mmCIF file with all atom_site columns, all heavy atoms in Angstrom:
data_model
loop_
_atom_site.group_PDB
_atom_site.id
_atom_site.type_symbol
_atom_site.label_atom_id
_atom_site.label_alt_id
_atom_site.label_comp_id
_atom_site.label_asym_id
_atom_site.label_entity_id
_atom_site.label_seq_id
_atom_site.pdbx_PDB_ins_code
_atom_site.Cartn_x
_atom_site.Cartn_y
_atom_site.Cartn_z
_atom_site.occupancy
_atom_site.B_iso_or_equiv
_atom_site.pdbx_formal_charge
_atom_site.auth_seq_id
_atom_site.auth_comp_id
_atom_site.auth_asym_id
_atom_site.auth_atom_id
_atom_site.pdbx_PDB_model_num
ATOM 1  N N   . ASN A 1 7   ? 93.950  107.931 161.017 1.00 90.00 ? 7   ASN A N   1
ATOM 2  C CA  . ASN A 1 7   ? 95.253  108.456 161.402 1.00 90.00 ? 7   ASN A CA  1
ATOM 3  C C   . ASN A 1 7   ? 95.958  107.427 162.273 1.00 90.00 ? 7   ASN A C   1
ATOM 4  O O   . ASN A 1 7   ? 96.141  107.614 163.465 1.00 90.00 ? 7   ASN A O   1
ATOM 5  C CB  . ASN A 1 7   ? 95.082  109.775 162.161 1.00 90.00 ? 7   ASN A CB  1
ATOM 6  C CG  . ASN A 1 7   ? 96.417  110.395 162.521 1.00 90.00 ? 7   ASN A CG  1
ATOM 7  O OD1 . ASN A 1 7   ? 97.391  110.276 161.798 1.00 90.00 ? 7   ASN A OD1 1
ATOM 8  N ND2 . ASN A 1 7   ? 96.469  111.035 163.663 1.00 90.00 ? 7   ASN A ND2 1
ATOM 9  N N   . GLU A 1 17  ? 110.426 88.157  167.691 1.00 93.00 ? 17  GLU A N   1
ATOM 10 C CA  . GLU A 1 17  ? 111.269 89.308  168.033 1.00 93.00 ? 17  GLU A CA  1
ATOM 11 C C   . GLU A 1 17  ? 111.164 90.388  166.961 1.00 93.00 ? 17  GLU A C   1
ATOM 12 O O   . GLU A 1 17  ? 111.152 91.580  167.267 1.00 93.00 ? 17  GLU A O   1
ATOM 13 C CB  . GLU A 1 17  ? 112.730 88.874  168.207 1.00 93.00 ? 17  GLU A CB  1
ATOM 14 C CG  . GLU A 1 17  ? 112.998 88.143  169.493 1.00 93.00 ? 17  GLU A CG  1
ATOM 15 C CD  . GLU A 1 17  ? 112.705 88.986  170.725 1.00 93.00 ? 17  GLU A CD  1
ATOM 16 O OE1 . GLU A 1 17  ? 113.069 90.180  170.772 1.00 93.00 ? 17  GLU A OE1 1
ATOM 17 O OE2 . GLU A 1 17  ? 112.092 88.447  171.659 1.00 93.00 ? 17  GLU A OE2 1
ATOM 18 N N   . ARG A 1 24  ? 107.558 98.250  168.507 1.00 95.00 ? 24  ARG A N   1
ATOM 19 C CA  . ARG A 1 24  ? 108.288 99.313  169.212 1.00 95.00 ? 24  ARG A CA  1
ATOM 20 C C   . ARG A 1 24  ? 108.496 100.519 168.298 1.00 95.00 ? 24  ARG A C   1
ATOM 21 O O   . ARG A 1 24  ? 108.267 101.656 168.686 1.00 95.00 ? 24  ARG A O   1
ATOM 22 C CB  . ARG A 1 24  ? 109.653 98.804  169.691 1.00 95.00 ? 24  ARG A CB  1
ATOM 23 C CG  . ARG A 1 24  ? 109.631 98.173  171.014 1.00 95.00 ? 24  ARG A CG  1
ATOM 24 C CD  . ARG A 1 24  ? 111.041 97.841  171.520 1.00 95.00 ? 24  ARG A CD  1
ATOM 25 N NE  . ARG A 1 24  ? 110.947 96.597  172.236 1.00 95.00 ? 24  ARG A NE  1
ATOM 26 C CZ  . ARG A 1 24  ? 111.182 95.395  171.744 1.00 95.00 ? 24  ARG A CZ  1
ATOM 27 N NH1 . ARG A 1 24  ? 111.624 95.240  170.527 1.00 95.00 ? 24  ARG A NH1 1
ATOM 28 N NH2 . ARG A 1 24  ? 111.033 94.319  172.472 1.00 95.00 ? 24  ARG A NH2 1
ATOM 29 N N   . ALA A 1 91  ? 94.734  96.561  170.174 1.00 95.00 ? 91  ALA A N   1
ATOM 30 C CA  . ALA A 1 91  ? 95.009  95.191  169.719 1.00 95.00 ? 91  ALA A CA  1
ATOM 31 C C   . ALA A 1 91  ? 93.791  94.650  168.972 1.00 95.00 ? 91  ALA A C   1
ATOM 32 O O   . ALA A 1 91  ? 92.671  94.736  169.460 1.00 95.00 ? 91  ALA A O   1
ATOM 33 C CB  . ALA A 1 91  ? 95.338  94.305  170.908 1.00 95.00 ? 91  ALA A CB  1
ATOM 34 N N   . LEU A 1 102 ? 96.397  91.749  156.784 1.00 97.00 ? 102 LEU A N   1
ATOM 35 C CA  . LEU A 1 102 ? 97.182  92.944  157.096 1.00 97.00 ? 102 LEU A CA  1
ATOM 36 C C   . LEU A 1 102 ? 96.988  94.073  156.080 1.00 97.00 ? 102 LEU A C   1
ATOM 37 O O   . LEU A 1 102 ? 96.703  95.205  156.480 1.00 97.00 ? 102 LEU A O   1
ATOM 38 C CB  . LEU A 1 102 ? 98.658  92.582  157.276 1.00 97.00 ? 102 LEU A CB  1
ATOM 39 C CG  . LEU A 1 102 ? 98.939  91.692  158.483 1.00 97.00 ? 102 LEU A CG  1
ATOM 40 C CD1 . LEU A 1 102 ? 100.380 91.219  158.491 1.00 97.00 ? 102 LEU A CD1 1
ATOM 41 C CD2 . LEU A 1 102 ? 98.592  92.409  159.777 1.00 97.00 ? 102 LEU A CD2 1
ATOM 42 N N   . ARG A 1 116 ? 111.114 92.176  160.214 1.00 88.00 ? 116 ARG A N   1
ATOM 43 C CA  . ARG A 1 116 ? 111.864 91.276  159.336 1.00 88.00 ? 116 ARG A CA  1
ATOM 44 C C   . ARG A 1 116 ? 113.143 90.864  160.041 1.00 88.00 ? 116 ARG A C   1
ATOM 45 O O   . ARG A 1 116 ? 113.608 91.539  160.949 1.00 88.00 ? 116 ARG A O   1
ATOM 46 C CB  . ARG A 1 116 ? 112.169 91.916  157.994 1.00 88.00 ? 116 ARG A CB  1
ATOM 47 C CG  . ARG A 1 116 ? 113.195 93.032  158.042 1.00 88.00 ? 116 ARG A CG  1
ATOM 48 C CD  . ARG A 1 116 ? 113.569 93.480  156.637 1.00 88.00 ? 116 ARG A CD  1
ATOM 49 N NE  . ARG A 1 116 ? 114.517 94.550  156.643 1.00 88.00 ? 116 ARG A NE  1
ATOM 50 C CZ  . ARG A 1 116 ? 115.837 94.420  156.806 1.00 88.00 ? 116 ARG A CZ  1
ATOM 51 N NH1 . ARG A 1 116 ? 116.351 93.229  157.003 1.00 88.00 ? 116 ARG A NH1 1
ATOM 52 N NH2 . ARG A 1 116 ? 116.638 95.451  156.785 1.00 88.00 ? 116 ARG A NH2 1
ATOM 53 N N   . ALA A 1 133 ? 104.035 89.597  150.211 1.00 91.00 ? 133 ALA A N   1
ATOM 54 C CA  . ALA A 1 133 ? 102.643 89.765  149.786 1.00 91.00 ? 133 ALA A CA  1
ATOM 55 C C   . ALA A 1 133 ? 102.106 91.128  150.216 1.00 91.00 ? 133 ALA A C   1
ATOM 56 O O   . ALA A 1 133 ? 101.391 91.782  149.446 1.00 91.00 ? 133 ALA A O   1
ATOM 57 C CB  . ALA A 1 133 ? 101.778 88.643  150.358 1.00 91.00 ? 133 ALA A CB  1
ATOM 58 N N   . SER A 1 155 ? 133.916 86.291  174.056 1.00 61.00 ? 155 SER A N   1
ATOM 59 C CA  . SER A 1 155 ? 134.899 85.364  173.506 1.00 61.00 ? 155 SER A CA  1
ATOM 60 C C   . SER A 1 155 ? 135.638 84.659  174.629 1.00 61.00 ? 155 SER A C   1
ATOM 61 O O   . SER A 1 155 ? 135.907 85.235  175.677 1.00 61.00 ? 155 SER A O   1
ATOM 62 C CB  . SER A 1 155 ? 135.887 86.138  172.633 1.00 61.00 ? 155 SER A CB  1
ATOM 63 O OG  . SER A 1 155 ? 136.902 85.273  172.188 1.00 61.00 ? 155 SER A OG  1
ATOM 64 N N   . ALA A 1 170 ? 151.162 85.990  174.312 1.00 55.00 ? 170 ALA A N   1
ATOM 65 C CA  . ALA A 1 170 ? 152.424 86.642  174.694 1.00 55.00 ? 170 ALA A CA  1
ATOM 66 C C   . ALA A 1 170 ? 152.888 86.051  176.022 1.00 55.00 ? 170 ALA A C   1
ATOM 67 O O   . ALA A 1 170 ? 152.087 85.541  176.795 1.00 55.00 ? 170 ALA A O   1
ATOM 68 C CB  . ALA A 1 170 ? 152.223 88.142  174.823 1.00 55.00 ? 170 ALA A CB  1
ATOM 69 N N   . VAL A 1 176 ? 159.423 90.924  189.453 1.00 57.00 ? 176 VAL A N   1
ATOM 70 C CA  . VAL A 1 176 ? 160.753 91.438  189.791 1.00 57.00 ? 176 VAL A CA  1
ATOM 71 C C   . VAL A 1 176 ? 160.916 91.346  191.296 1.00 57.00 ? 176 VAL A C   1
ATOM 72 O O   . VAL A 1 176 ? 160.059 91.812  192.042 1.00 57.00 ? 176 VAL A O   1
ATOM 73 C CB  . VAL A 1 176 ? 160.925 92.895  189.293 1.00 57.00 ? 176 VAL A CB  1
ATOM 74 C CG1 . VAL A 1 176 ? 162.287 93.422  189.682 1.00 57.00 ? 176 VAL A CG1 1
ATOM 75 C CG2 . VAL A 1 176 ? 160.692 92.981  187.806 1.00 57.00 ? 176 VAL A CG2 1
#
Side-chain angles (χ1 to χ4, degrees):
N7 183 33
E17 285 299 316
R24 272 187 216 95
L102 294 172
R116 70 172 179 81
S155 175
V176 179

